[in-house]
Amino acid sequence: MSDAYDSGKYDREGYEGDGSDAPTPVQERTFAALPPAHGRGFAESWWGRAWLKALEDTALDGEQLKRGRRFAREGRVGAVSVRPGRITAVVRDRDSSTYRSDVLLQELNEAEWERFLDMAVDTAGHIAALLDREMPPHLVEDAAAAGVELLPGIGDLDPECTCEAWDHCPHTAALCYQVARLLDQDPFVLLLMRGRDERRLLDELQVRITARAEGHGPFGSAALADGSGAAGTKAKDRGVRADEAFAARDILPPLPAPPPLPAEPGPAQSLDTETQPEPGVDPAVLELLATDSAARAHQMLADALSPGHEQQSLPACLTPQQDAVRLVANTRPESWIATRLAAGSGRPRAELNVAVRAWQYGGAAALTVLDEKWTPDPESLARARARLAEAWEEGEQPRLRSAGNRWTAVEDGVQLRYGRDGRWWPYRKESGRWVPAGPADDDPAAALGGSSMSDD
């Protein structure tokens, strides 16, 4: 679609006198002739189909409409000019004669535009939809409830053609079918026919939004904040999709400051009701997951509100096996739920308990150290040995035997594991199994000294 209209300005030649000192801007868009529409419908959007329904319900001669559809399909409609109250094009007949065809549509009066603008700013989704070149049904319904009919009805499309037909002729019908294709791409075409071009409409919406945000309008910032008034009511009833709010970012006022962080996560709703759950659905498990989700959301919000959060790297995504361990560590579920999670983690129940202990000492990093045995490259190995040599005073270092990234003091029943990040993790032997004994430290001696084996 070629659009010769510049929405950012009015050309001086586009003014006509209205009897006042100031010229009235003539709003007009001109669309280049569209190619033939073989094998496709003329309207894909619901509002485009509503436009055609108004035409087809109005025309008295169905044969004329069929000829108009053929003309439009064959590309016989020239450039289409759209201005308030009127659309115009030159249509070429099959004998190569041409006719100027116009279709008139009643403009909205000033009072109707005022009601439409007030209605639109009540719901951010209305503005976002228009910016996304959409006209959702609820926008049209809300406009109708405010006494503003956006879409034409029976008898609203008034034809004029130099062929001098008194009803819709093939030429005006062809023009209407072609305009349906334009409406599919941009509903602002319809709003221009009703009397407002895109730039003027958005400017007027911006004025209202700014006034309300500053408390000058009938729904000031206090009303918006506490949900009172029509705007608050609609926001509570329907809400606004995130993508709609993002699309409207350039004309909406700044967001208010975020609310303070709640002292603790909200409790999960009890699912212990008289209604029997669906087969395979366990309410106790759902309650545990809901509680965990609330706790995680609270922590994520706390992190997001902390200073310097934007400089932090994103946390690594957990595998399902890692997340099963995290869930047991953080929620301490009933035994039968823990058994199910053990199966999900791929570990026997006893090994899951060890993994949970690792998680409590260092999260996913500690879990990786528990599961992974690797051989440091020569440079990493030299660095690790240097750290071990300088960690203890002479004669105090335990006798350590190395294997891969693990240094074990067999006589003492302790072990140090060297992580890929250069930190040391203490382990101790319990019931013939090496288990995590404390958090990591850059100093191997400090790691052993701060571990739970110091309790012995």
Side-chain angles (χ1 to χ4, degrees):
M1 177 177 71
S2 174
D3 183 356
Y5 171 76
D6 183 351
S7 63
K9 63 180 181 180
Y10 297 117
D11 192 292
R12 288 299 301 176
E13 297 178 357
Y15 284 87
E16 58 186 24
D18 60 358
S20 63
D21 294 335
T24 300
V26 177
Q27 307 161 85
E28 185 171 354
R29 299 178 69 175
T30 301
F31 299 87
L34 296 176
H38 298 304
R40 55 155 288 172
F42 284 99
E44 297 177 356
S45 64
W46 78 270
W47 59 91
R49 291 193 293 270
W51 167 270
L52 290 182
K53 187 176 188 303
L55 165 69
E56 293 165 355
D57 288 349
T58 299
L60 300 178
D61 191 340
E63 187 58 36
Q64 299 286 56
L65 293 184
K66 291 181 182 178
R67 289 181 60 194
R69 280 197 298 270
R70 287 197 297 269
F71 284 3
R73 286 194 185 282
E74 294 168 359
R76 296 181 178 276
V77 181
V80 177
S81 174
V82 182
R83 61 191 297 175
R86 182 182 296 268
I87 54 175
T88 305
V90 173
V91 181
R92 180 170 49 86
D93 216 330
R94 285 190 168 179
D95 61 2
S96 296
S97 57
T98 57
Y99 300 89
R100 170 177 165 148
S101 298
D102 294 78
V103 174
L104 282 62
L105 178 64
Q106 182 67 43
E107 296 181 53
L108 301 178
N109 59 38
E110 287 299 322
E112 289 172 323
W113 275 114
E114 288 295 314
R115 291 198 297 272
F116 174 81
L117 293 166
D118 287 338
M119 177 278 303
V121 297
D122 283 347
T123 304
H126 290 341
I127 303 172
L130 289 173
L131 291 175
D132 204 30
R133 298 299 188 268
E134 296 284 337
M135 187 178 287
H138 58 77
L139 185 154
V140 176
E141 292 167 359
D142 288 349
V148 180
E149 296 295 339
L150 294 179
L151 293 169
I154 297 176
D156 287 347
L157 301 179
D158 189 15
E160 290 182 359
C161 186
T162 55
C163 76
E164 299 184 351
W166 64 273
D167 186 31
H168 276 287
C169 62
H171 314 110
T172 58
L175 172 57
C176 286
Y177 280 109
Q178 205 74 314
V179 167
R181 296 172 66 183
L182 300 180
L183 289 172
D184 267 357
Q185 300 175 54
D186 189 353
F188 277 105
V189 171
L190 176 62
L191 296 175
L192 176 55
M193 280 186 270
R194 287 298 198 185
R196 291 287 193 277
D197 78 328
E198 178 178 354
R199 184 68 269 153
R200 181 179 176 185
L201 182 62
L202 294 181
D203 285 348
E204 292 178 344
L205 286 171
Q206 176 65 69
V207 169
R208 281 168 168 75
I209 291 170
T210 302
R212 292 189 180 188
E214 294 175 352
H216 302 317
F219 303 106
S221 56
L224 292 174
D226 66 13
S228 62
T233 300
K234 290 189 177 183
K236 287 189 291 184
D237 289 346
R238 183 156 53 219
V240 180
R241 287 169 53 92
D243 55 349
E244 291 180 349
F246 181 78
R249 65 193 181 281
D250 293 331
I251 63 173
L252 293 176
L255 293 174
L261 178 71
E264 58 185 15
Q269 184 174 1
S270 174
L271 300 179
D272 185 13
T273 66
E274 296 180 358
T275 304
Q276 293 299 313
E278 293 292 328
V281 176
D282 194 307
V285 174
L286 288 179
E287 287 183 15
L288 180 140
L289 292 174
T291 300
D292 176 65
S293 296
R296 295 178 66 190
H298 185 268
Q299 184 59 54
M300 291 171 67
L301 181 58
D303 293 342
L305 295 176
S306 63
H309 172 71
E310 66 279 3
Q311 305 297 329
Q312 303 298 319
S313 58
L314 293 175
C317 293
L318 300 180
T319 66
Q321 293 75 20
Q322 290 174 325
D323 199 51
V325 175
R326 179 203 63 80
L327 198 57
V328 175
N330 291 351
T331 63
R332 299 180 179 179
E334 298 179 32
S335 178
W336 66 272
I337 297 179
T339 299
R340 290 179 59 179
L341 289 170
S345 71
R347 306 170 190 270
R349 182 62 186 274
E351 291 186 13
L352 175 62
N353 294 337
V354 174
V356 166
R357 185 186 297 188
W359 183 274
Q360 292 169 335
Y361 283 133
L367 202 56
T368 299
V369 171
L370 171 70
D371 295 333
E372 183 183 47
K373 184 175 183 179
W374 59 285
T375 301
D377 58 67
E379 182 178 350
S380 299
L381 184 60
R383 189 162 49 245
R385 286 174 173 168
R387 292 293 294 153
L388 288 168
E390 64 189 22
W392 287 275
E393 297 292 339
E394 184 176 353
E396 294 183 358
Q397 178 180 343
R399 296 178 58 186
L400 299 172
R401 183 176 61 196
S402 65
N405 68 319
R406 301 176 181 181
W407 276 262
T408 306
V410 178
E411 297 86 353
D412 300 327
V414 297
Q415 184 182 82
L416 284 167
R417 296 190 179 184
Y418 188 57
R420 292 183 183 273
D421 59 358
R423 295 188 299 166
W424 299 87
W425 298 81
Y427 274 69
R428 67 185 299 173
K429 206 160 198 177
E430 293 181 0
S431 302
R433 175 189 292 114
W434 289 107
V435 298
D441 200 293
D442 293 332
D443 185 337
L448 283 180
S451 69
S452 59
M453 49 191 124
S454 61
D455 296 335
D456 294 343

mmCIF file with all atom_site columns, all heavy atoms in Angstrom, residues 10-27 200:
data_model
loop_
_atom_site.group_PDB
_atom_site.id
_atom_site.type_symbol
_atom_site.label_atom_id
_atom_site.label_alt_id
_atom_site.label_comp_id
_atom_site.label_asym_id
_atom_site.label_entity_id
_atom_site.label_seq_id
_atom_site.pdbx_PDB_ins_code
_atom_site.Cartn_x
_atom_site.Cartn_y
_atom_site.Cartn_z
_atom_site.occupancy
_atom_site.B_iso_or_equiv
_atom_site.pdbx_formal_charge
_atom_site.auth_seq_id
_atom_site.auth_comp_id
_atom_site.auth_asym_id
_atom_site.auth_atom_id
_atom_site.pdbx_PDB_model_num
ATOM 1   N N   . TYR A 1 10  ? 0.529   19.446 7.975  1.00 0.00 ? 10  TYR A N   1
ATOM 2   C CA  . TYR A 1 10  ? -0.503  19.820 7.018  1.00 0.00 ? 10  TYR A CA  1
ATOM 3   C C   . TYR A 1 10  ? 0.146   20.686 5.951  1.00 0.00 ? 10  TYR A C   1
ATOM 4   O O   . TYR A 1 10  ? 0.848   21.639 6.247  1.00 0.00 ? 10  TYR A O   1
ATOM 5   C CB  . TYR A 1 10  ? -1.632  20.600 7.703  1.00 0.00 ? 10  TYR A CB  1
ATOM 6   C CG  . TYR A 1 10  ? -2.376  19.831 8.743  1.00 0.00 ? 10  TYR A CG  1
ATOM 7   C CD1 . TYR A 1 10  ? -2.380  20.221 10.063 1.00 0.00 ? 10  TYR A CD1 1
ATOM 8   C CD2 . TYR A 1 10  ? -3.080  18.685 8.397  1.00 0.00 ? 10  TYR A CD2 1
ATOM 9   C CE1 . TYR A 1 10  ? -3.063  19.503 11.017 1.00 0.00 ? 10  TYR A CE1 1
ATOM 10  C CE2 . TYR A 1 10  ? -3.775  17.960 9.340  1.00 0.00 ? 10  TYR A CE2 1
ATOM 11  C CZ  . TYR A 1 10  ? -3.767  18.375 10.648 1.00 0.00 ? 10  TYR A CZ  1
ATOM 12  O OH  . TYR A 1 10  ? -4.454  17.664 11.606 1.00 0.00 ? 10  TYR A OH  1
ATOM 13  N N   . ASP A 1 11  ? -0.123  20.421 4.696  1.00 0.00 ? 11  ASP A N   1
ATOM 14  C CA  . ASP A 1 11  ? 0.369   21.240 3.605  1.00 0.00 ? 11  ASP A CA  1
ATOM 15  C C   . ASP A 1 11  ? -0.470  22.520 3.553  1.00 0.00 ? 11  ASP A C   1
ATOM 16  O O   . ASP A 1 11  ? -1.682  22.502 3.754  1.00 0.00 ? 11  ASP A O   1
ATOM 17  C CB  . ASP A 1 11  ? 0.241   20.468 2.286  1.00 0.00 ? 11  ASP A CB  1
ATOM 18  C CG  . ASP A 1 11  ? 1.016   21.147 1.156  1.00 0.00 ? 11  ASP A CG  1
ATOM 19  O OD1 . ASP A 1 11  ? 0.621   22.254 0.740  1.00 0.00 ? 11  ASP A OD1 1
ATOM 20  O OD2 . ASP A 1 11  ? 1.987   20.546 0.719  1.00 0.00 ? 11  ASP A OD2 1
ATOM 21  N N   . ARG A 1 12  ? 0.171   23.635 3.258  1.00 0.00 ? 12  ARG A N   1
ATOM 22  C CA  . ARG A 1 12  ? -0.570  24.890 3.189  1.00 0.00 ? 12  ARG A CA  1
ATOM 23  C C   . ARG A 1 12  ? -1.663  24.840 2.127  1.00 0.00 ? 12  ARG A C   1
ATOM 24  O O   . ARG A 1 12  ? -2.703  25.468 2.255  1.00 0.00 ? 12  ARG A O   1
ATOM 25  C CB  . ARG A 1 12  ? 0.386   26.051 2.868  1.00 0.00 ? 12  ARG A CB  1
ATOM 26  C CG  . ARG A 1 12  ? 1.312   26.432 4.012  1.00 0.00 ? 12  ARG A CG  1
ATOM 27  C CD  . ARG A 1 12  ? 0.576   26.886 5.231  1.00 0.00 ? 12  ARG A CD  1
ATOM 28  N NE  . ARG A 1 12  ? -0.277  28.043 4.960  1.00 0.00 ? 12  ARG A NE  1
ATOM 29  C CZ  . ARG A 1 12  ? -1.078  28.577 5.867  1.00 0.00 ? 12  ARG A CZ  1
ATOM 30  N NH1 . ARG A 1 12  ? -1.177  28.038 7.065  1.00 0.00 ? 12  ARG A NH1 1
ATOM 31  N NH2 . ARG A 1 12  ? -1.818  29.633 5.574  1.00 0.00 ? 12  ARG A NH2 1
ATOM 32  N N   . GLU A 1 13  ? -1.443  24.084 1.045  1.00 0.00 ? 13  GLU A N   1
ATOM 33  C CA  . GLU A 1 13  ? -2.472  23.971 0.027  1.00 0.00 ? 13  GLU A CA  1
ATOM 34  C C   . GLU A 1 13  ? -3.651  23.144 0.513  1.00 0.00 ? 13  GLU A C   1
ATOM 35  O O   . GLU A 1 13  ? -4.680  23.093 -0.129 1.00 0.00 ? 13  GLU A O   1
ATOM 36  C CB  . GLU A 1 13  ? -1.890  23.341 -1.239 1.00 0.00 ? 13  GLU A CB  1
ATOM 37  C CG  . GLU A 1 13  ? -0.792  24.211 -1.865 1.00 0.00 ? 13  GLU A CG  1
ATOM 38  C CD  . GLU A 1 13  ? -0.206  23.548 -3.089 1.00 0.00 ? 13  GLU A CD  1
ATOM 39  O OE1 . GLU A 1 13  ? -0.618  22.404 -3.391 1.00 0.00 ? 13  GLU A OE1 1
ATOM 40  O OE2 . GLU A 1 13  ? 0.637   24.156 -3.748 1.00 0.00 ? 13  GLU A OE2 1
ATOM 41  N N   . GLY A 1 14  ? -3.523  22.499 1.650  1.00 0.00 ? 14  GLY A N   1
ATOM 42  C CA  . GLY A 1 14  ? -4.587  21.668 2.171  1.00 0.00 ? 14  GLY A CA  1
ATOM 43  C C   . GLY A 1 14  ? -5.506  22.401 3.122  1.00 0.00 ? 14  GLY A C   1
ATOM 44  O O   . GLY A 1 14  ? -6.168  21.778 3.930  1.00 0.00 ? 14  GLY A O   1
ATOM 45  N N   . TYR A 1 15  ? -5.548  23.721 3.072  1.00 0.00 ? 15  TYR A N   1
ATOM 46  C CA  . TYR A 1 15  ? -6.439  24.487 3.936  1.00 0.00 ? 15  TYR A CA  1
ATOM 47  C C   . TYR A 1 15  ? -7.569  25.084 3.104  1.00 0.00 ? 15  TYR A C   1
ATOM 48  O O   . TYR A 1 15  ? -7.378  25.501 1.960  1.00 0.00 ? 15  TYR A O   1
ATOM 49  C CB  . TYR A 1 15  ? -5.693  25.632 4.628  1.00 0.00 ? 15  TYR A CB  1
ATOM 50  C CG  . TYR A 1 15  ? -4.814  25.193 5.760  1.00 0.00 ? 15  TYR A CG  1
ATOM 51  C CD1 . TYR A 1 15  ? -3.505  24.787 5.540  1.00 0.00 ? 15  TYR A CD1 1
ATOM 52  C CD2 . TYR A 1 15  ? -5.292  25.174 7.067  1.00 0.00 ? 15  TYR A CD2 1
ATOM 53  C CE1 . TYR A 1 15  ? -2.701  24.386 6.586  1.00 0.00 ? 15  TYR A CE1 1
ATOM 54  C CE2 . TYR A 1 15  ? -4.481  24.779 8.119  1.00 0.00 ? 15  TYR A CE2 1
ATOM 55  C CZ  . TYR A 1 15  ? -3.199  24.391 7.872  1.00 0.00 ? 15  TYR A CZ  1
ATOM 56  O OH  . TYR A 1 15  ? -2.393  23.994 8.909  1.00 0.00 ? 15  TYR A OH  1
ATOM 57  N N   . GLU A 1 16  ? -8.729  25.125 3.693  1.00 0.00 ? 16  GLU A N   1
ATOM 58  C CA  . GLU A 1 16  ? -9.826  25.807 3.043  1.00 0.00 ? 16  GLU A CA  1
ATOM 59  C C   . GLU A 1 16  ? -10.533 26.670 4.076  1.00 0.00 ? 16  GLU A C   1
ATOM 60  O O   . GLU A 1 16  ? -10.545 26.353 5.264  1.00 0.00 ? 16  GLU A O   1
ATOM 61  C CB  . GLU A 1 16  ? -10.815 24.830 2.418  1.00 0.00 ? 16  GLU A CB  1
ATOM 62  C CG  . GLU A 1 16  ? -11.430 23.839 3.382  1.00 0.00 ? 16  GLU A CG  1
ATOM 63  C CD  . GLU A 1 16  ? -12.291 22.825 2.674  1.00 0.00 ? 16  GLU A CD  1
ATOM 64  O OE1 . GLU A 1 16  ? -12.078 22.598 1.480  1.00 0.00 ? 16  GLU A OE1 1
ATOM 65  O OE2 . GLU A 1 16  ? -13.180 22.271 3.340  1.00 0.00 ? 16  GLU A OE2 1
ATOM 66  N N   . GLY A 1 17  ? -11.088 27.762 3.642  1.00 0.00 ? 17  GLY A N   1
ATOM 67  C CA  . GLY A 1 17  ? -11.687 28.707 4.564  1.00 0.00 ? 17  GLY A CA  1
ATOM 68  C C   . GLY A 1 17  ? -12.969 28.167 5.163  1.00 0.00 ? 17  GLY A C   1
ATOM 69  O O   . GLY A 1 17  ? -13.723 27.458 4.501  1.00 0.00 ? 17  GLY A O   1
ATOM 70  N N   . ASP A 1 18  ? -13.227 28.532 6.419  1.00 0.00 ? 18  ASP A N   1
ATOM 71  C CA  . ASP A 1 18  ? -14.473 28.139 7.065  1.00 0.00 ? 18  ASP A CA  1
ATOM 72  C C   . ASP A 1 18  ? -15.212 29.351 7.608  1.00 0.00 ? 18  ASP A C   1
ATOM 73  O O   . ASP A 1 18  ? -16.106 29.242 8.424  1.00 0.00 ? 18  ASP A O   1
ATOM 74  C CB  . ASP A 1 18  ? -14.220 27.136 8.194  1.00 0.00 ? 18  ASP A CB  1
ATOM 75  C CG  . ASP A 1 18  ? -13.328 27.703 9.269  1.00 0.00 ? 18  ASP A CG  1
ATOM 76  O OD1 . ASP A 1 18  ? -12.879 28.854 9.113  1.00 0.00 ? 18  ASP A OD1 1
ATOM 77  O OD2 . ASP A 1 18  ? -13.110 27.007 10.283 1.00 0.00 ? 18  ASP A OD2 1
ATOM 78  N N   . GLY A 1 19  ? -14.797 30.538 7.123  1.00 0.00 ? 19  GLY A N   1
ATOM 79  C CA  . GLY A 1 19  ? -15.454 31.748 7.572  1.00 0.00 ? 19  GLY A CA  1
ATOM 80  C C   . GLY A 1 19  ? -14.794 32.379 8.776  1.00 0.00 ? 19  GLY A C   1
ATOM 81  O O   . GLY A 1 19  ? -15.149 33.474 9.179  1.00 0.00 ? 19  GLY A O   1
ATOM 82  N N   . SER A 1 20  ? -13.811 31.717 9.372  1.00 0.00 ? 20  SER A N   1
ATOM 83  C CA  . SER A 1 20  ? -13.096 32.264 10.521 1.00 0.00 ? 20  SER A CA  1
ATOM 84  C C   . SER A 1 20  ? -11.742 32.767 10.069 1.00 0.00 ? 20  SER A C   1
ATOM 85  O O   . SER A 1 20  ? -11.326 32.571 8.928  1.00 0.00 ? 20  SER A O   1
ATOM 86  C CB  . SER A 1 20  ? -12.932 31.194 11.605 1.00 0.00 ? 20  SER A CB  1
ATOM 87  O OG  . SER A 1 20  ? -12.151 30.136 11.114 1.00 0.00 ? 20  SER A OG  1
ATOM 88  N N   . ASP A 1 21  ? -11.051 33.425 10.977 1.00 0.00 ? 21  ASP A N   1
ATOM 89  C CA  . ASP A 1 21  ? -9.740  33.955 10.631 1.00 0.00 ? 21  ASP A CA  1
ATOM 90  C C   . ASP A 1 21  ? -8.727  32.841 10.428 1.00 0.00 ? 21  ASP A C   1
ATOM 91  O O   . ASP A 1 21  ? -7.849  32.930 9.571  1.00 0.00 ? 21  ASP A O   1
ATOM 92  C CB  . ASP A 1 21  ? -9.249  34.900 11.734 1.00 0.00 ? 21  ASP A CB  1
ATOM 93  C CG  . ASP A 1 21  ? -10.130 36.141 11.820 1.00 0.00 ? 21  ASP A CG  1
ATOM 94  O OD1 . ASP A 1 21  ? -10.756 36.482 10.799 1.00 0.00 ? 21  ASP A OD1 1
ATOM 95  O OD2 . ASP A 1 21  ? -10.185 36.746 12.915 1.00 0.00 ? 21  ASP A OD2 1
ATOM 96  N N   . ALA A 1 22  ? -8.792  31.791 11.245 1.00 0.00 ? 22  ALA A N   1
ATOM 97  C CA  . ALA A 1 22  ? -7.811  30.702 11.144 1.00 0.00 ? 22  ALA A CA  1
ATOM 98  C C   . ALA A 1 22  ? -8.275  29.674 10.126 1.00 0.00 ? 22  ALA A C   1
ATOM 99  O O   . ALA A 1 22  ? -9.445  29.313 10.093 1.00 0.00 ? 22  ALA A O   1
ATOM 100 C CB  . ALA A 1 22  ? -7.643  30.034 12.509 1.00 0.00 ? 22  ALA A CB  1
ATOM 101 N N   . PRO A 1 23  ? -7.366  29.222 9.266  1.00 0.00 ? 23  PRO A N   1
ATOM 102 C CA  . PRO A 1 23  ? -7.754  28.211 8.284  1.00 0.00 ? 23  PRO A CA  1
ATOM 103 C C   . PRO A 1 23  ? -8.032  26.877 8.953  1.00 0.00 ? 23  PRO A C   1
ATOM 104 O O   . PRO A 1 23  ? -7.466  26.561 9.997  1.00 0.00 ? 23  PRO A O   1
ATOM 105 C CB  . PRO A 1 23  ? -6.534  28.129 7.362  1.00 0.00 ? 23  PRO A CB  1
ATOM 106 C CG  . PRO A 1 23  ? -5.386  28.542 8.218  1.00 0.00 ? 23  PRO A CG  1
ATOM 107 C CD  . PRO A 1 23  ? -5.941  29.574 9.173  1.00 0.00 ? 23  PRO A CD  1
ATOM 108 N N   . THR A 1 24  ? -8.921  26.103 8.376  1.00 0.00 ? 24  THR A N   1
ATOM 109 C CA  . THR A 1 24  ? -9.240  24.767 8.874  1.00 0.00 ? 24  THR A CA  1
ATOM 110 C C   . THR A 1 24  ? -8.446  23.745 8.072  1.00 0.00 ? 24  THR A C   1
ATOM 111 O O   . THR A 1 24  ? -8.515  23.742 6.835  1.00 0.00 ? 24  THR A O   1
ATOM 112 C CB  . THR A 1 24  ? -10.741 24.475 8.721  1.00 0.00 ? 24  THR A CB  1
ATOM 113 O OG1 . THR A 1 24  ? -11.461 25.439 9.465  1.00 0.00 ? 24  THR A OG1 1
ATOM 114 C CG2 . THR A 1 24  ? -11.068 23.072 9.226  1.00 0.00 ? 24  THR A CG2 1
ATOM 115 N N   . PRO A 1 25  ? -7.652  22.877 8.711  1.00 0.00 ? 25  PRO A N   1
ATOM 116 C CA  . PRO A 1 25  ? -6.862  21.913 7.958  1.00 0.00 ? 25  PRO A CA  1
ATOM 117 C C   . PRO A 1 25  ? -7.755  20.886 7.274  1.00 0.00 ? 25  PRO A C   1
ATOM 118 O O   . PRO A 1 25  ? -8.691  20.363 7.874  1.00 0.00 ? 25  PRO A O   1
ATOM 119 C CB  . PRO A 1 25  ? -5.981  21.255 9.036  1.00 0.00 ? 25  PRO A CB  1
ATOM 120 C CG  . PRO A 1 25  ? -6.742  21.455 10.307 1.00 0.00 ? 25  PRO A CG  1
ATOM 121 C CD  . PRO A 1 25  ? -7.484  22.740 10.155 1.00 0.00 ? 25  PRO A CD  1
ATOM 122 N N   . VAL A 1 26  ? -7.471  20.638 6.016  1.00 0.00 ? 26  VAL A N   1
ATOM 123 C CA  . VAL A 1 26  ? -8.170  19.589 5.283  1.00 0.00 ? 26  VAL A CA  1
ATOM 124 C C   . VAL A 1 26  ? -7.341  18.317 5.421  1.00 0.00 ? 26  VAL A C   1
ATOM 125 O O   . VAL A 1 26  ? -6.205  18.251 4.968  1.00 0.00 ? 26  VAL A O   1
ATOM 126 C CB  . VAL A 1 26  ? -8.340  19.969 3.789  1.00 0.00 ? 26  VAL A CB  1
ATOM 127 C CG1 . VAL A 1 26  ? -8.994  18.816 3.040  1.00 0.00 ? 26  VAL A CG1 1
ATOM 128 C CG2 . VAL A 1 26  ? -9.167  21.227 3.656  1.00 0.00 ? 26  VAL A CG2 1
ATOM 129 N N   . GLN A 1 27  ? -7.903  17.317 6.063  1.00 0.00 ? 27  GLN A N   1
ATOM 130 C CA  . GLN A 1 27  ? -7.190  16.070 6.312  1.00 0.00 ? 27  GLN A CA  1
ATOM 131 C C   . GLN A 1 27  ? -7.495  15.108 5.173  1.00 0.00 ? 27  GLN A C   1
ATOM 132 O O   . GLN A 1 27  ? -8.665  14.810 4.914  1.00 0.00 ? 27  GLN A O   1
ATOM 133 C CB  . GLN A 1 27  ? -7.640  15.484 7.654  1.00 0.00 ? 27  GLN A CB  1
ATOM 134 C CG  . GLN A 1 27  ? -7.526  16.478 8.811  1.00 0.00 ? 27  GLN A CG  1
ATOM 135 C CD  . GLN A 1 27  ? -8.376  16.083 9.995  1.00 0.00 ? 27  GLN A CD  1
ATOM 136 O OE1 . GLN A 1 27  ? -7.957  15.294 10.822 1.00 0.00 ? 27  GLN A OE1 1
ATOM 137 N NE2 . GLN A 1 27  ? -9.581  16.622 10.070 1.00 0.00 ? 27  GLN A NE2 1
ATOM 138 N N   . ARG A 1 200 ? -3.959  13.997 14.322 1.00 0.00 ? 200 ARG A N   1
ATOM 139 C CA  . ARG A 1 200 ? -4.830  14.838 15.146 1.00 0.00 ? 200 ARG A CA  1
ATOM 140 C C   . ARG A 1 200 ? -5.471  14.034 16.261 1.00 0.00 ? 200 ARG A C   1
ATOM 141 O O   . ARG A 1 200 ? -5.554  14.480 17.414 1.00 0.00 ? 200 ARG A O   1
ATOM 142 C CB  . ARG A 1 200 ? -5.906  15.483 14.269 1.00 0.00 ? 200 ARG A CB  1
ATOM 143 C CG  . ARG A 1 200 ? -6.846  16.402 15.055 1.00 0.00 ? 200 ARG A CG  1
ATOM 144 C CD  . ARG A 1 200 ? -7.872  17.039 14.153 1.00 0.00 ? 200 ARG A CD  1
ATOM 145 N NE  . ARG A 1 200 ? -8.820  17.842 14.912 1.00 0.00 ? 200 ARG A NE  1
ATOM 146 C CZ  . ARG A 1 200 ? -9.885  18.432 14.385 1.00 0.00 ? 200 ARG A CZ  1
ATOM 147 N NH1 . ARG A 1 200 ? -10.141 18.309 13.085 1.00 0.00 ? 200 ARG A NH1 1
ATOM 148 N NH2 . ARG A 1 200 ? -10.713 19.148 15.142 1.00 0.00 ? 200 ARG A NH2 1
#
